[in-house]
Amino acid sequence: MTLPGPLGTPNRPTVAAVAAAAVPAAVLAVALLGAGLARTGTGELRIPAAGATSLLRVLLLAGLALAVGELAGTRLAGAGPLPRPLAVPGALLAAAASTGLLPCCSSPPSAA
C-alpha cells in the first residue's frame, strides 16, 4: 500500500535526471579521450597529456562560468532571497585549474 500524494509515489529516475547524470559523464569522456580519438589514423605524433590538459581547460571554463554567472545573477536578482553564493568556489576552481595548466603551457617548445 502506498500513501497518496508525493510521499507515496515510487522514486523512479526521470528522463531529465538520467540526462543530467549523463551529460557530465559525456563531457568528461570527450575531454579525456577526444584528442586521442581525433588523431587516430592520421599519422600525427602523440600529444603528451592531451586528456589532462583538456580536462583542466574544461574545469577552468566551468569555474569562470560559475564565478561570473553568480556575480551577474546577484546583480540581476536585486532584492529578495538569493541562492547559495558560488563566486568564491568558482574562482577557486578556476585558479586551481589554471595553476594545473601552468607547467604544460609555460615551457618553451624544444627544437627537434
Side-chain angles (χ1 to χ4, degrees):
M1 181 173 130
T2 60
L3 298 173
L7 295 176
T9 57
N11 190 9
R12 284 185 241 144
T14 62
V15 174
V18 172
V23 168
V27 168
L28 184 64
V30 168
L32 292 176
L33 303 173
L37 292 175
R39 73 171 166 75
T40 301
T42 62
E44 291 186 30
L45 296 175
R46 182 184 167 279
I47 303 168
T53 303
S54 298
L55 182 63
L56 286 171
R57 288 178 179 173
V58 166
L59 290 175
L60 175 66
L61 180 64
L64 289 175
L66 273 174
V68 171
E70 198 268 328
L71 293 174
T74 302
R75 172 145 343 246
L76 289 174
L82 295 175
R84 239 182 353 189
L86 292 175
V88 173
L92 290 175
L93 176 66
S98 63
T99 303
L101 283 170
L102 281 176
C104 71
C105 301
S106 62
S107 60
S110 60

